[in-house]
């Protein structure tokens, strides 16, 4: 509408870093991530990835993955169907790495998303995202509502991936 959400934002994210966007619920964290991902269009200004406007050059979004805070849109699909979708969308999708990560976290490569626990759904979303081999990952509240043990496991996994593969991760959260 007419309400101004952001003004004069200039952010540079380097590969191999984890950047946090912290704020209260309703502060605009998800809106900012969706704008970064090109899901929402800014009324003025541009979002660039590797110095290219993501709207004018949508192919640059091959190097970007947005992981929403909910997997509800995917629950009717099987793991294999989601795998096939990501493999079709992301040209650099690493199938071998995907299966390696599933094995590492003792997840079955079959079954429906709806049958996974909340923690498994969050972890599966991250496995998909990192398997794309994109250099920029936008994670919206990736550990919200998870128990302490699963949260620690997921955060360690993210930190390890950033260190090993030099990806840039942006995490939004309302919790420090």
């Amino acid at each position: 509408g007419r309400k101004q959400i952001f003004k004069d934002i200039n952010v540079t994210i380097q590969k191999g870093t984890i950047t946090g966007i912290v704020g209260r619920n309703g502060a605009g964290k998800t809106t900012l991530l969706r704008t970064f991902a090109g899901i929402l269009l800014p009324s003025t200004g541009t979002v660039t990835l590797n110095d290219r406007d993501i709207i004018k050059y949508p192919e640059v979004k091959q190097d970007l993955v947005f992981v929403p805070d909910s997997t509800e849109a995917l629950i009717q699909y099987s793991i294999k169907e989601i795998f096939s979708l990501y493999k079709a969308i992301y040209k650099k999708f690493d199938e071998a790495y995907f299966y390696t990560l599933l094995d590492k976290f003792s997840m079955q490569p079959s079954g429906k998303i709806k049958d996974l626990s909340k923690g498994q759904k969050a972890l599966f979303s991250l496995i998909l995202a990192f398997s794309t081999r994109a250099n920029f990952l936008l994670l919206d509240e990736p550990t919200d509502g998870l128990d302490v043990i699963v949260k620690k496991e997921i955060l360690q996994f993210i930190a390890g991936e950033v260190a090993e593969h030099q990806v840039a991760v942006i995490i939004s959260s309302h919790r420090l």
Side-chain angles (χ1 to χ4, degrees):
R2 298 185 190 280
K3 184 178 178 186
Q4 184 174 18
I5 306 297
F6 308 117
K7 182 178 181 181
D8 298 328
I9 293 180
N10 186 355
V11 179
T12 301
I13 306 294
Q14 300 296 325
K15 292 180 186 174
T17 63
I18 298 174
T19 302
I21 299 173
V22 182
R24 297 191 304 206
N25 287 330
K29 299 177 304 294
T30 298
T31 300
L32 183 61
L33 289 184
R34 289 178 182 214
T35 304
F36 285 168
I39 297 167
L40 298 175
L41 303 177
S43 52
T44 62
T46 59
V47 176
T48 60
L49 184 63
N50 298 326
D51 298 322
R52 297 181 77 195
D53 185 317
I54 65 170
I55 304 304
K56 290 180 183 174
Y57 303 98
E59 64 275 9
V60 301
K61 289 198 268 181
Q62 281 286 313
D63 212 18
L64 176 109
V65 178
F66 173 68
V67 180
D69 62 347
S70 172
T71 57
E72 292 304 307
L74 307 177
I75 62 170
Q76 294 306 313
Y77 297 98
S78 70
I79 289 172
K80 287 185 180 184
E81 288 170 325
I82 299 300
F83 160 80
S84 295
L85 175 66
Y86 271 66
K87 190 174 175 186
I89 292 171
Y90 290 96
K91 295 174 186 170
K92 295 188 300 183
F93 191 89
D94 189 337
E95 183 174 350
Y97 192 60
F98 173 78
Y99 285 111
T100 297
L101 290 176
L102 285 182
D103 187 54
K104 176 181 177 178
F105 292 105
S106 303
M107 294 185 76
Q108 297 299 315
S110 59
K112 295 262 187 193
I113 303 296
K114 69 179 179 182
D115 296 330
L116 299 176
S117 70
K118 185 172 185 174
Q120 288 173 319
K121 287 175 187 170
L123 187 55
F124 180 70
S125 293
L126 293 174
I127 288 170
L128 278 171
F130 283 104
S131 296
T132 65
R133 297 298 192 187
N135 285 313
F136 298 91
L137 281 73
L138 310 174
L139 311 179
D140 192 12
E141 303 275 1
T143 61
D144 193 37
L146 301 180
D147 66 64
V148 174
I149 294 169
V150 173
K151 184 183 290 192
K152 183 177 180 182
E153 182 178 33
I154 286 176
L155 291 175
Q156 285 176 334
F157 170 60
I158 292 169
E161 288 293 300
V162 169
E164 186 173 339
H165 300 287
Q166 292 298 296
V167 296
V169 174
I170 302 172
I171 299 176
S172 77
S173 182
H174 62 277
R175 298 177 188 198
L176 291 175

